[in-house]
């Protein structure tokens, strides 16, 4: 698990950089949006044994003109896990860069939402010092709910399903999966 977590550091640094760059740039008077960080897990098919359950971190960034009924979705998610299979240490990780649209309803302080689009899914497996990786273009759908606490702070729950098949070493399998996590983030414009 330690090695997979260390390789995730560049992806997490990129995630914070992108969220920090996009959020303030878009936060002006005629736009609305949210930068919500997701902390949770990703469930993969049994092809990824013993690492089919992975810890996941990411961000859902929703942005667009204030008068549009839907907004753009730009999301990034990264997951990893490490385990032992028949005495061999195996480290797996995946990442998803997703684009699409998202509809967020404003019901008081509650913000239920649904979205979908395309995703570039990368998968990597390291076993016996040999690393194999592949990437594919797939799809995703997601939903959740968050509440606006105070004028900008968001807290809630997120779920999504992604699909995309890759070939890592000689194994062909699904690199997408079921995602679930907690939302911590902020939104604009400020709510009174």
């Amino acid at each position: 698990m330690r090695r997979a977590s260390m390789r995730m550091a560049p992806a997490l640094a990129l995630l914070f950089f992108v969220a920090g760059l996009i959020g303030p740039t878009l936060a002006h008077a005629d736009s609305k949006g949210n930068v919500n960080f997701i902390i949770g897990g990703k469930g993969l098919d049994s092809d990824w044994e013993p690492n089919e359950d992975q810890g996941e971190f990411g961000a859902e960034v929703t942005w667009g003109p204030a008068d549009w009924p839907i907004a753009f979705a730009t999301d990034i998610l990264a997951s990893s896990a490490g385990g032992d299979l028949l005495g061999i240490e195996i480290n797996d990780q995946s990442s998803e860069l997703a684009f699409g649209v998202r509809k967020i309803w404003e019901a008081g302080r509650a913000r239920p939402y649904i979205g979908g689009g395309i995703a570039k899914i990368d998968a990597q497996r390291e076993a016996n010092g040999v690393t194999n990786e592949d990437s594919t273009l797939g799809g995703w759908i997601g939903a959740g709910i968050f509440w606006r606490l105070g004028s900008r702070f968001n807290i809630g729950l997120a779920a999504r399903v992604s699909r995309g098949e890759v070939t890592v070493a000689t194994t062909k399998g699904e690199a997408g999966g079921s995602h679930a996590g907690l939302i911590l983030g902020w939104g604009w414009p400020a709510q009174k």
Side-chain angles (χ1 to χ4, degrees):
M1 177 80 173
R2 188 170 159 265
R3 284 188 198 164
S5 298
M6 291 177 65
R7 285 191 305 258
M8 295 297 296
L12 294 177
L14 177 62
L15 168 70
F16 282 116
F17 176 74
V18 169
L21 185 65
I22 290 176
T25 303
L26 299 172
H28 53 80
D30 59 347
S31 73
K32 68 178 176 180
N34 297 279
V35 177
N36 289 329
F37 293 97
I38 309 295
I39 301 168
K42 178 178 182 179
L44 293 155
D45 289 344
S46 61
D47 295 331
W48 297 96
E49 187 181 357
N51 301 321
E52 56 265 41
D53 295 319
Q54 300 185 356
E56 185 169 59
F57 182 74
E60 292 181 341
V61 182
T62 308
W63 53 278
D67 57 348
W68 283 15
I70 61 171
F72 297 107
T74 308
D75 306 339
I76 185 168
L77 300 164
S79 65
S80 67
D84 186 89
L85 182 64
L86 303 173
I88 299 171
E89 182 182 343
I90 298 174
N91 294 300
D92 293 318
Q93 60 183 343
S94 69
S95 64
E96 300 184 21
L97 179 60
F99 300 98
V101 294
R102 188 172 286 124
K103 169 66 176 170
I104 300 176
W105 291 272
E106 296 181 13
R109 296 209 176 266
R111 305 284 195 273
Y113 68 89
I114 189 168
I118 61 170
K120 180 182 182 287
I121 303 172
D122 296 305
Q124 178 178 304
R125 171 165 273 196
E126 178 194 352
N128 284 334
V130 177
T131 301
N132 291 285
E133 55 192 316
D134 193 15
S135 63
T136 189
L137 192 61
W140 67 274
I141 57 170
I145 185 168
F146 61 91
W147 290 266
R148 181 68 57 90
L149 303 180
S151 63
R152 293 185 184 269
F153 184 70
N154 298 330
I155 187 168
L157 302 168
R160 76 167 57 203
V161 174
S162 58
R163 292 289 175 251
E165 198 170 83
V166 296
T167 302
V168 176
T170 59
T171 304
K172 191 172 196 174
E174 181 62 55
S178 302
H179 312 253
L182 299 174
I183 292 173
L184 297 171
W186 64 274
W188 71 91
Q191 180 174 326
K192 298 183 187 218

PDB file of all heavy atoms in Angstrom, residues 106-119:
ATOM      1  N   GLU A 106     -31.151  23.601  -6.603  1.00  0.00           N
ATOM      2  CA  GLU A 106     -30.980  24.345  -5.360  1.00  0.00           C
ATOM      3  C   GLU A 106     -32.298  24.345  -4.608  1.00  0.00           C
ATOM      4  O   GLU A 106     -33.222  25.077  -4.949  1.00  0.00           O
ATOM      5  CB  GLU A 106     -30.500  25.761  -5.655  1.00  0.00           C
ATOM      6  CG  GLU A 106     -29.127  25.788  -6.298  1.00  0.00           C
ATOM      7  CD  GLU A 106     -28.616  27.188  -6.581  1.00  0.00           C
ATOM      8  OE1 GLU A 106     -29.194  28.159  -6.061  1.00  0.00           O
ATOM      9  OE2 GLU A 106     -27.630  27.289  -7.317  1.00  0.00           O
ATOM     10  N   ALA A 107     -32.386  23.509  -3.566  1.00  0.00           N
ATOM     11  CA  ALA A 107     -33.585  23.397  -2.735  1.00  0.00           C
ATOM     12  C   ALA A 107     -33.221  23.915  -1.349  1.00  0.00           C
ATOM     13  O   ALA A 107     -32.870  23.143  -0.457  1.00  0.00           O
ATOM     14  CB  ALA A 107     -34.056  21.953  -2.674  1.00  0.00           C
ATOM     15  N   GLY A 108     -33.249  25.210  -1.185  1.00  0.00           N
ATOM     16  CA  GLY A 108     -32.768  25.805   0.057  1.00  0.00           C
ATOM     17  C   GLY A 108     -31.262  25.622   0.145  1.00  0.00           C
ATOM     18  O   GLY A 108     -30.528  25.939  -0.778  1.00  0.00           O
ATOM     19  N   ARG A 109     -30.809  25.047   1.228  1.00  0.00           N
ATOM     20  CA  ARG A 109     -29.374  24.781   1.379  1.00  0.00           C
ATOM     21  C   ARG A 109     -28.974  23.438   0.795  1.00  0.00           C
ATOM     22  O   ARG A 109     -27.794  23.159   0.619  1.00  0.00           O
ATOM     23  CB  ARG A 109     -28.976  24.873   2.839  1.00  0.00           C
ATOM     24  CG  ARG A 109     -29.162  26.277   3.383  1.00  0.00           C
ATOM     25  CD  ARG A 109     -28.198  26.562   4.494  1.00  0.00           C
ATOM     26  NE  ARG A 109     -28.320  27.939   4.952  1.00  0.00           N
ATOM     27  CZ  ARG A 109     -27.560  28.927   4.496  1.00  0.00           C
ATOM     28  NH1 ARG A 109     -26.644  28.710   3.603  1.00  0.00           N
ATOM     29  NH2 ARG A 109     -27.721  30.146   4.960  1.00  0.00           N
ATOM     30  N   ALA A 110     -29.943  22.575   0.459  1.00  0.00           N
ATOM     31  CA  ALA A 110     -29.659  21.267  -0.136  1.00  0.00           C
ATOM     32  C   ALA A 110     -29.383  21.421  -1.625  1.00  0.00           C
ATOM     33  O   ALA A 110     -30.006  22.226  -2.309  1.00  0.00           O
ATOM     34  CB  ALA A 110     -30.829  20.315   0.086  1.00  0.00           C
ATOM     35  N   ARG A 111     -28.438  20.638  -2.142  1.00  0.00           N
ATOM     36  CA  ARG A 111     -28.057  20.675  -3.554  1.00  0.00           C
ATOM     37  C   ARG A 111     -27.981  19.246  -4.108  1.00  0.00           C
ATOM     38  O   ARG A 111     -26.893  18.684  -4.235  1.00  0.00           O
ATOM     39  CB  ARG A 111     -26.693  21.335  -3.745  1.00  0.00           C
ATOM     40  CG  ARG A 111     -26.532  22.721  -3.164  1.00  0.00           C
ATOM     41  CD  ARG A 111     -27.225  23.749  -4.026  1.00  0.00           C
ATOM     42  NE  ARG A 111     -26.825  25.100  -3.736  1.00  0.00           N
ATOM     43  CZ  ARG A 111     -27.359  25.875  -2.815  1.00  0.00           C
ATOM     44  NH1 ARG A 111     -28.306  25.400  -2.048  1.00  0.00           N
ATOM     45  NH2 ARG A 111     -26.959  27.122  -2.655  1.00  0.00           N
ATOM     46  N   PRO A 112     -29.123  18.608  -4.451  1.00  0.00           N
ATOM     47  CA  PRO A 112     -29.045  17.310  -5.126  1.00  0.00           C
ATOM     48  C   PRO A 112     -28.544  17.500  -6.561  1.00  0.00           C
ATOM     49  O   PRO A 112     -28.815  18.539  -7.180  1.00  0.00           O
ATOM     50  CB  PRO A 112     -30.480  16.792  -5.095  1.00  0.00           C
ATOM     51  CG  PRO A 112     -31.328  17.988  -4.858  1.00  0.00           C
ATOM     52  CD  PRO A 112     -30.490  19.027  -4.202  1.00  0.00           C
ATOM     53  N   TYR A 113     -27.821  16.520  -7.089  1.00  0.00           N
ATOM     54  CA  TYR A 113     -27.285  16.675  -8.448  1.00  0.00           C
ATOM     55  C   TYR A 113     -27.175  15.337  -9.155  1.00  0.00           C
ATOM     56  O   TYR A 113     -27.172  14.280  -8.551  1.00  0.00           O
ATOM     57  CB  TYR A 113     -25.935  17.386  -8.427  1.00  0.00           C
ATOM     58  CG  TYR A 113     -24.809  16.593  -7.809  1.00  0.00           C
ATOM     59  CD1 TYR A 113     -24.024  15.739  -8.584  1.00  0.00           C
ATOM     60  CD2 TYR A 113     -24.503  16.715  -6.461  1.00  0.00           C
ATOM     61  CE1 TYR A 113     -22.982  15.021  -8.027  1.00  0.00           C
ATOM     62  CE2 TYR A 113     -23.461  16.000  -5.891  1.00  0.00           C
ATOM     63  CZ  TYR A 113     -22.706  15.159  -6.681  1.00  0.00           C
ATOM     64  OH  TYR A 113     -21.670  14.446  -6.132  1.00  0.00           O
ATOM     65  N   ILE A 114     -27.071  15.435 -10.491  1.00  0.00           N
ATOM     66  CA  ILE A 114     -26.851  14.280 -11.354  1.00  0.00           C
ATOM     67  C   ILE A 114     -26.004  14.743 -12.534  1.00  0.00           C
ATOM     68  O   ILE A 114     -26.074  15.905 -12.941  1.00  0.00           O
ATOM     69  CB  ILE A 114     -28.187  13.651 -11.830  1.00  0.00           C
ATOM     70  CG1 ILE A 114     -27.935  12.315 -12.535  1.00  0.00           C
ATOM     71  CG2 ILE A 114     -28.983  14.617 -12.687  1.00  0.00           C
ATOM     72  CD1 ILE A 114     -29.186  11.502 -12.764  1.00  0.00           C
ATOM     73  N   GLY A 115     -25.172  13.847 -13.085  1.00  0.00           N
ATOM     74  CA  GLY A 115     -24.329  14.225 -14.216  1.00  0.00           C
ATOM     75  C   GLY A 115     -23.821  13.008 -14.960  1.00  0.00           C
ATOM     76  O   GLY A 115     -24.033  11.867 -14.545  1.00  0.00           O
ATOM     77  N   GLY A 116     -23.126  13.270 -16.047  1.00  0.00           N
ATOM     78  CA  GLY A 116     -22.547  12.194 -16.840  1.00  0.00           C
ATOM     79  C   GLY A 116     -21.665  12.741 -17.932  1.00  0.00           C
ATOM     80  O   GLY A 116     -21.673  13.935 -18.227  1.00  0.00           O
ATOM     81  N   GLY A 117     -20.880  11.845 -18.534  1.00  0.00           N
ATOM     82  CA  GLY A 117     -20.005  12.266 -19.617  1.00  0.00           C
ATOM     83  C   GLY A 117     -18.985  11.206 -19.972  1.00  0.00           C
ATOM     84  O   GLY A 117     -19.217  10.017 -19.812  1.00  0.00           O
ATOM     85  N   ILE A 118     -17.824  11.660 -20.451  1.00  0.00           N
ATOM     86  CA  ILE A 118     -16.739  10.765 -20.864  1.00  0.00           C
ATOM     87  C   ILE A 118     -15.596  10.842 -19.850  1.00  0.00           C
ATOM     88  O   ILE A 118     -15.479  11.828 -19.116  1.00  0.00           O
ATOM     89  CB  ILE A 118     -16.217  11.098 -22.278  1.00  0.00           C
ATOM     90  CG1 ILE A 118     -15.661  12.524 -22.330  1.00  0.00           C
ATOM     91  CG2 ILE A 118     -17.306  10.915 -23.313  1.00  0.00           C
ATOM     92  CD1 ILE A 118     -14.917  12.856 -23.596  1.00  0.00           C
ATOM     93  N   ALA A 119     -14.774   9.793 -19.823  1.00  0.00           N
ATOM     94  CA  ALA A 119     -13.648   9.766 -18.892  1.00  0.00           C
ATOM     95  C   ALA A 119     -12.456   9.068 -19.530  1.00  0.00           C
ATOM     96  O   ALA A 119     -12.611   8.055 -20.197  1.00  0.00           O
ATOM     97  CB  ALA A 119     -14.037   9.043 -17.604  1.00  0.00           C
TER      98      ALA A 119
END
